[in-house]
Amino acid sequence: MRILAFLLLLFSCPVLFAQNQLSTKNKKAIELYTLADNFRVRGQYDQAVNMLLEAIEKDRGFEEAYYRLGITFKSMHEYGKSIDIFLKGLDLTKDPKRKKIFNFELGDSYLKVGSYQNALDYLNQFLEAEILNKPKIELARFWKRNAEFSLQNMKVNSQFQPQALSDSLNRFKMQYFPVLTADEQQM
């Protein structure tokens, strides 16, 4: 009985792994993709970018490489580049699950560059498609509220007028911890 259970488990594993297959069969592209992820998680973004670009050169239809490259650019705070890469990856994919992921990341990236209408469009697409991942749904709703607020208040001018402090403050390089008096009327 144990042998039968072992054989059943052994032959069912390839079926389980086949569900998480990459979109490429190019072994060199997969190798570069894997190596790039090792660099990315260590914060060595330039090396990761170079390897992911090479992986994309090997296979222009490698959806996961586009996604990982977009994530790397986001980690580098290069949101314009991440948007371009995510859009290319989104154009390639036909899988609704992958489209959700690209829409989520595009919504965040567009929000960070101040393109609020685009952020709303992609976040709405994500929210229409996603029903299971509650933390991501809540985060997307939060971003959506931020984008809506920003769109509504883009033309509102604030009455705040910053004024430089007197030269008795910040006179020396070591004066960087201001202190208020007990009545909070003077610094």
Side-chain angles (χ1 to χ4, degrees), residues 3 7 15 18 36 49 51 53-54 61 78 86 96 113 115 120 128 131-132 138 140 148 150 168 174 180-182 185:
I3 295 173
L7 289 174
V15 173
V49 166
M51 289 185 172
L53 288 172
E54 275 188 65
E78 294 187 27
F86 286 139
V113 297
S115 183
L120 277 175
E128 287 173 11
I131 57 172
L132 297 176
E138 287 305 312
E148 289 168 343
S150 298
S168 64
M174 293 302 293
L180 293 176
T181 59
Q185 298 300 312

Side-chain angles (χ1 to χ4, degrees), residues 3-157:
I3 295 173
L4 181 62
F6 176 74
L7 289 174
L8 182 62
L9 181 65
L10 182 67
F11 289 114
S12 66
C13 284
V15 173
L16 294 174
F17 289 122
Q19 293 174 353
N20 293 325
Q21 283 184 330
L22 296 173
S23 62
T24 186
K25 302 288 186 228
N26 186 313
K27 290 180 182 179
K28 185 63 177 173
I30 293 170
E31 179 184 336
L32 289 164
Y33 172 80
T34 306
L35 288 172
D37 202 42
N38 291 331
F39 283 108
R40 184 187 62 83
V41 296
R42 291 190 307 243
Q44 297 172 313
Y45 300 126
D46 292 332
Q47 294 92 332
V49 166
N50 291 335
M51 289 185 172
L52 288 166
L53 288 172
E54 275 188 65
I56 290 170
E57 277 293 315
K58 300 289 182 197
D59 184 354
R60 296 266 183 213
F62 194 1
E63 298 167 20
E64 295 86 359
Y66 283 98
Y67 175 77
R68 196 65 51 84
L69 183 57
I71 291 293
T72 305
F73 280 132
K74 271 183 66 175
S75 299
M76 298 168 70
H77 304 286
E78 294 187 27
Y79 302 111
K81 289 181 181 179
S82 72
I83 289 169
D84 293 340
I85 296 298
F86 286 139
L87 287 172
K88 288 177 185 174
L90 182 61
D91 286 342
L92 287 173
T93 189
K94 304 293 183 244
D95 182 10
K97 291 178 185 177
R98 289 184 182 164
K99 284 185 184 233
K100 282 191 300 193
I101 295 168
F102 280 110
N103 287 332
F104 180 80
E105 297 298 340
L106 279 164
D108 179 34
S109 295
Y110 273 122
L111 185 63
K112 287 181 176 160
V113 297
S115 183
Y116 304 118
Q117 188 57 56
N118 286 331
L120 277 175
D121 294 342
Y122 285 103
L123 290 170
N124 283 331
Q125 289 176 42
F126 170 77
L127 289 169
E128 287 173 11
E130 183 60 65
I131 57 172
L132 297 176
N133 192 334
K134 300 298 182 195
K136 276 193 172 182
I137 290 171
E138 287 305 312
L139 188 54
R141 286 180 182 156
F142 175 72
W143 290 338
K144 181 180 174 182
R145 287 190 304 270
N146 286 344
E148 289 168 343
F149 176 84
S150 298
L151 275 175
Q152 292 170 357
N153 293 289
M154 283 178 66
K155 295 183 180 171
V156 175
N157 288 327

Side-chain angles (χ1 to χ4, degrees), residues 157-175:
N157 288 327
S158 174
Q159 298 300 321
F160 176 71
Q161 298 294 325
Q163 297 175 0
L165 297 173
S166 69
D167 62 351
S168 64
L169 294 173
N170 300 328
R171 184 182 304 169
F172 307 107
K173 289 185 178 183
M174 293 302 293
Q175 287 181 319

